[in-house]
């Protein structure tokens, strides 16, 4: 059974930073692309970033490119998302998701997601 547990969210001021983590279990983590998605209050799911199994290739949504960085540690079965220069519009629940295969499927939101971690950006 795929299990994904996100952590690291919280309240941060505009311009601040956070690092989100996602602990994965129940599948061969190092064999799958992984993604981060988010859902802002009253809105649908938004694909943010993807990373290949080795971590050698990444892709980002235009809304976060240059501010967010996705990475992974296959030895620890953990996915990360570094959030920098946060804006109030980044307020959302953030989820990690398991990809269907080894390559990044841009804008594909898997049903294999964790429970999420909440990020609130406010002064």
């Amino acid at each position: 059974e795929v299990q994904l547990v996100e952590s690291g969210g919280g309240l941060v001021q505009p311009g601040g930073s956070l690092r989100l983590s996602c602990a994965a279990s129940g599948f061969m983590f190092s064999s799958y692309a992984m993604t981060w998605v988010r859902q802002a209050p009253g809105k649908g799911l938004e694909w943010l970033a993807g990373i290949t199994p080795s971590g050698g290739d990444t892709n980002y949504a235009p809304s976060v490119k240059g501010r967010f960085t996705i990475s992974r540690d296959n030895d620890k079965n953990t996915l990360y998302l570094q959030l920098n220069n946060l804006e109030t519009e980044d307020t959302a629940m953030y989820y990690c998701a398991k990809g269907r295969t080894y390559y990044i499927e841009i804008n594909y939101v898997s049903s294999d997601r964790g429970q999420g971690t909440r990020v609130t950006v406010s002064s």
Side-chain angles (χ1 to χ4, degrees):
E1 178 186 2
V2 173
Q3 289 196 326
L4 299 164
V5 180
E6 302 91 340
S7 62
L11 174 63
V12 62
Q13 293 185 338
S17 297
L18 282 174
R19 189 194 196 199
L20 308 184
S21 299
C22 171
S25 62
F27 66 102
M28 189 66 72
F29 180 74
S30 59
S31 296
Y32 289 89
M34 295 292 294
T35 64
W36 284 97
V37 303
R38 70 184 177 187
Q39 187 166 26
K43 297 188 177 181
L45 286 165
E46 178 187 10
W47 185 91
L48 297 178
I51 188 168
T52 51
S54 69
D57 190 22
T58 58
N59 207 301
Y60 297 91
S63 59
V64 304
K65 191 172 184 178
R67 299 189 299 122
F68 293 6
T69 303
I70 188 172
S71 62
R72 66 193 295 163
D73 186 334
N74 288 341
D75 290 335
K76 296 182 179 179
N77 283 0
T78 302
L79 180 73
Y80 303 100
L81 188 68
Q82 178 69 39
L83 289 63
N84 294 332
N85 195 21
L86 282 160
E87 304 168 351
T88 56
E89 293 78 12
D90 295 317
T91 294
M93 187 72 81
Y94 285 70
Y95 303 89
C96 66
K98 172 184 168 291
R100 291 184 292 190
T101 183
Y102 60 90
Y103 55 87
I104 300 168
E105 295 178 278
I106 296 172
N107 292 327
Y108 172 71
V109 180
S110 171
S111 59
D112 286 324
R113 301 191 297 271
Q115 293 301 304
T117 186
R118 185 174 301 278
V119 173
T120 302
V121 185
S122 175
S123 55

